């Protein structure tokens, strides 16, 4: 008889794990507390507009291809990709911006025009970043974080110094122009920590950016969710939404069942793709591995204030992705990590999917997604949300020299309180736990509970870390651990 696996949550890591486990012959059911699947990658449809509610950058396409290849499939079997050109635009002032194109040679020319000699330096830097990327993807990230020995390979011992330097220091040794420095520091923000706290080795994110390009699923990131859902169903996975998990029942130190909507559901194995800290609160205290003090001492990636906005006209001179670095980069980072508070002058990100995908807005209109990174755990009120929306829209109008505020016909916000309510996210974090030196690989929370047999975890608070590609990998890693334990 097939062993049953109950998976909590339906984010990317849970979806990934469900496919691998079903392929191995387990009877897999996903239980999702919300009405729709996808976790942070859910989709919002309203008033004729469509928005990806969370992840909007499709980087590291090789990881997605690798995932589908494990099932003798290709991404093209489930969704179509478009390589964006420009990849994105970075604004520094009124009509002052740098455009990042879809190939390294053109980007190097852009750099060279701004700082003499920087084009060649960029090519060399990205070559080194590619070397690190190859090591990270082929040697490190597909390891389960069980032992420090996983990090010791011939290649990593040759780059040992890169685990003790920082991305910021390395970039600043090579480049002098502050705008170019900020563009190069930007990609590591996806890892959830300041560039000055991120080990040099993680410059592989620069290769993911400039070397591999920025892509977009034809009708949004939810295409990927739908694609993996389709694969999971082909493999026999069952999905149950509106299924709130109230408790993990433990008998004789073994996870035996879940209480879901007040009903007891028995299972041979429990796997949580939900927030790790929240999942442990579903256990009796004596069965929790990590204390409140542990979680409070961790460096968490930021929370976010998000706005999903519909405009009744087309917006001029915009790219699909745009970063607004027209204020002090360092000060905003300090307001997130060093002295947590609402930033007086926030950097922000704007995404206009309707530039690429006409289905996301009615004809002649525009869909916009705005994001302000914030410290997790800070105060969140409607008044603050409105204050900060006014700030960034006023800046957007000033920097791009156009009026848009009076053309808003739909707006919905999402912030810390919503991350807690919808995803049970610790302190309302948006991206999980940061990948700092002391929170890397085996130093992250474990995929397998040390106290409760048959209880496992996956997702951005465990290995390998935050981001969509790491989430797919996390699902594979935990499925391998489960299969190893139950095939003995």
């Amino acid at each position: 008889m097939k062993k049953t696996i109950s998976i909590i949550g339906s984010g990317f890591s849970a979806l990934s794990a469900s496919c691998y486990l079903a392929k191995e012959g387990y009877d897999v059911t996903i239980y999702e507390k919300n009405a729709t699947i996808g976790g942070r990658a859910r989709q919002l449809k309203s008033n004729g507009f469509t928005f990806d509610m969370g992840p909007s950058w499709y980087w590291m396409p090789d990881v997605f291809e690798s995932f589908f290849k494990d099932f003798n499939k290709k991404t093209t079997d489930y969704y179509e990709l478009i390589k964006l050109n420009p990849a994105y635009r970075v604004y520094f002032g009124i009509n002052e911006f740098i455009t990042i194109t879809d190939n390294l040679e053109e980007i190097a020319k852009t750099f060279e025009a701004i700082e003499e000699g920087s084009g060649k330096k960029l090519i060399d830097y990205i070559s080194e970043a590619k070397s690190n990327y190859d090591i990270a993807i082929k040697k490190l990230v597909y390891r389960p974080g069980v032992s420090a020995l996983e990090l010791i390979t011939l290649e990593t011992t040759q780059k040992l110094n890169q685990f003790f330097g920082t991305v910021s220091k390395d970039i600043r040794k090579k480049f002098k122009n502050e705008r170019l420095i900020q563009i190069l520091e930007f990609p590591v923000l996806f890892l959830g920590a300041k560039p000055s706290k991120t080990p040099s080795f993680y410059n592989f994110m620069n290769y993911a950016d400039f070397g591999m390009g920025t892509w977009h699923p034809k009708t949004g990131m939810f295409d990927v969710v739908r694609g993996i859902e389709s694969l999971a169903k082909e493999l026999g996975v069952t999905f149950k939404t509106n299924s709130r998990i109230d408790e993990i029942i433990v008998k004789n130190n073994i996870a035996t069942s879940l209480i879901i909507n007040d009903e007891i559901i028995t299972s041979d194995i429990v796997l949580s793709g939900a927030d790790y800290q929240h999942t442990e609160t579903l256990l009796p205290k004596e069965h929790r591995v990590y204390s409140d003090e542990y979680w409070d001492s961790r460096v968490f990636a930021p929370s976010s204030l998000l706005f999903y906005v519909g405009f009744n006209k087309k917006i001029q001179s915009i790219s699909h992705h745009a970063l607004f670095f027209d204020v002090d980069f360092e000060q905003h980072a300090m307001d997130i990590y060093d002295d947590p508070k609402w930033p007086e002058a926030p950097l922000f990100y704007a995404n206009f999917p309707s530039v690429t995908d006409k289905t996301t807005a009615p004809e002649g209109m525009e869909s916009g997604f705005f994001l302000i990174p914030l410290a997790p755990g800070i105060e969140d009120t409607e008044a603050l949300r409105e204050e900060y929306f006014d700030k960034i829209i006023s800046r957007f109008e000033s920097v791009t020299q156009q009026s848009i505020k009076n053309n808003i016909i739909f707006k919905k916000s999402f912030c810390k309180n919503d991350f807690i309510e919808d995803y049970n996210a610790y302190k309302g974090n948006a991206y999980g736990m940061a990948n700092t030196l002391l929170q890397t690989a085996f130093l992250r929370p474990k995929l397998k509970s040390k106290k409760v047999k048959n209880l496992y975890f996956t997702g951005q608070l465990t290995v390998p870390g935050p981001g969509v590609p790491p989430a797919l990998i996390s699902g594979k890693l935990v499925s391998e651990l489960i299969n190893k334990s139950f095939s003995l």
Side-chain angles (χ1 to χ4, degrees), residues 57 59 84-89 99-102 209 213-214 319-322:
W57 294 79
W59 277 3
L84 298 181
N85 189 22
Y88 55 92
R89 184 176 285 173
T99 299
I100 302 301
T101 62
D102 67 345
D209 180 2
T214 300
S319 58
H320 185 117
H321 296 293

Side-chain angles (χ1 to χ4, degrees), residues 10-20 22 30 37-38 41 58 63-69 71 73-75 77-79 221-239 468-469 471-473 475-476:
S10 64
F12 277 115
S13 61
L15 290 171
S16 169
S18 76
C19 292
Y20 286 108
I30 284 180
I37 70 162
Y58 191 104
V63 174
F64 294 85
E65 286 293 350
S66 178
F67 169 77
F68 283 102
K69 186 178 179 181
F71 304 93
K73 302 285 186 177
K74 296 179 288 187
T75 56
D77 293 329
Y78 296 96
Y79 55 88
M221 286 293 287
F222 197 68
D223 284 1
V224 187
V225 173
R226 274 192 293 248
I228 302 177
E229 177 193 24
S230 295
L231 172 61
K233 286 181 175 179
E234 290 167 27
L235 294 164
V237 177
T238 300
F239 288 80
V468 177
L472 294 178
I473 294 168
K476 180 175 184 175

Side-chain angles (χ1 to χ4, degrees), residues 223-265:
D223 284 1
V224 187
V225 173
R226 274 192 293 248
I228 302 177
E229 177 193 24
S230 295
L231 172 61
K233 286 181 175 179
E234 290 167 27
L235 294 164
V237 177
T238 300
F239 288 80
K240 295 191 176 182
T241 54
N242 295 307
S243 297
R244 184 193 72 248
I245 287 76
D246 299 307
E247 186 180 342
I248 300 171
I249 296 176
V250 179
K251 293 181 180 177
N252 299 320
N253 296 323
I254 301 172
T256 62
S257 49
L258 299 173
I259 298 181
I260 302 176
N261 294 339
D262 302 320
E263 180 185 355
I264 295 177
I265 307 292

Side-chain angles (χ1 to χ4, degrees), residues 1-177:
M1 187 173 176
K2 287 184 178 180
K3 287 196 178 295
T4 56
I5 299 183
S6 295
I7 299 181
I8 303 171
S10 64
F12 277 115
S13 61
L15 290 171
S16 169
S18 76
C19 292
Y20 286 108
L21 291 165
K23 179 187 174 186
E24 292 298 326
Y26 295 94
D27 181 356
V28 182
T29 302
I30 284 180
Y31 296 95
E32 167 57 54
K33 73 181 282 288
N34 294 311
T36 58
I37 70 162
R40 286 165 167 80
R42 290 183 300 161
Q43 188 181 66
L44 169 66
K45 285 179 175 282
S46 187
N47 295 53
F49 298 95
T50 301
F51 306 92
D52 285 317
M53 293 189 70
S56 58
W57 294 79
Y58 191 104
W59 277 3
M60 302 168 68
D62 56 325
V63 174
F64 294 85
E65 286 293 350
S66 178
F67 169 77
F68 283 102
K69 186 178 179 181
D70 285 340
F71 304 93
N72 296 314
K73 302 285 186 177
K74 296 179 288 187
T75 56
T76 51
D77 293 329
Y78 296 96
Y79 55 88
E80 181 182 336
L81 285 175
I82 300 165
K83 192 173 188 183
L84 298 181
N85 189 22
Y88 55 92
R89 184 176 285 173
V90 186
Y91 288 88
F92 294 96
I94 296 174
N95 278 332
E96 292 183 47
F97 56 82
I98 295 174
T99 299
I100 302 301
T101 62
D102 67 345
N103 68 87
L104 180 57
E105 291 71 24
E106 286 295 322
I107 299 169
K109 289 178 184 176
T110 298
F111 270 52
E112 185 65 29
I114 295 169
E115 179 183 314
E116 186 177 353
S118 66
K120 171 70 165 58
K121 289 178 182 177
L122 180 67
I123 297 290
D124 292 343
Y125 181 71
I126 298 302
S127 176
E128 178 188 309
K130 180 182 185 304
S131 170
N132 286 351
Y133 186 89
D134 289 341
I135 294 168
I137 296 301
K138 293 173 184 175
K139 303 286 184 180
L140 300 181
V141 296
Y142 285 94
R143 299 186 178 188
V146 173
S147 164
L149 297 176
E150 294 173 3
L151 295 177
I152 301 173
T153 69
L154 176 62
E155 293 85 358
T156 57
T157 54
Q158 293 171 345
K159 292 177 176 278
L160 194 60
N161 63 315
Q162 293 200 24
F163 288 91
F164 298 97
T166 71
V167 166
S168 185
K169 282 183 180 178
D170 292 348
I171 291 171
R172 290 171 184 276
K173 284 176 186 174
K174 294 176 172 64
F175 303 92
K176 303 305 175 190
N177 182 278

Side-chain angles (χ1 to χ4, degrees), residues 91 93-95 311 315-319 322 324 326 348-352 370 389-405:
Y91 288 88
I94 296 174
N95 278 332
F311 300 92
I315 299 176
Q316 302 303 307
S317 303
I318 54 168
S319 58
F324 286 78
D326 54 313
F348 68 95
Y349 157 63
N351 170 18
F352 297 96
F370 298 83
F389 183 73
D390 287 342
K391 283 189 178 190
I392 64 171
I393 290 299
S394 296
R395 290 229 320 270
F396 182 94
E397 291 182 325
S398 173
V399 167
T400 65
Q401 294 290 279
Q402 61 188 309
S403 173
I404 62 168
K405 189 171 184 180

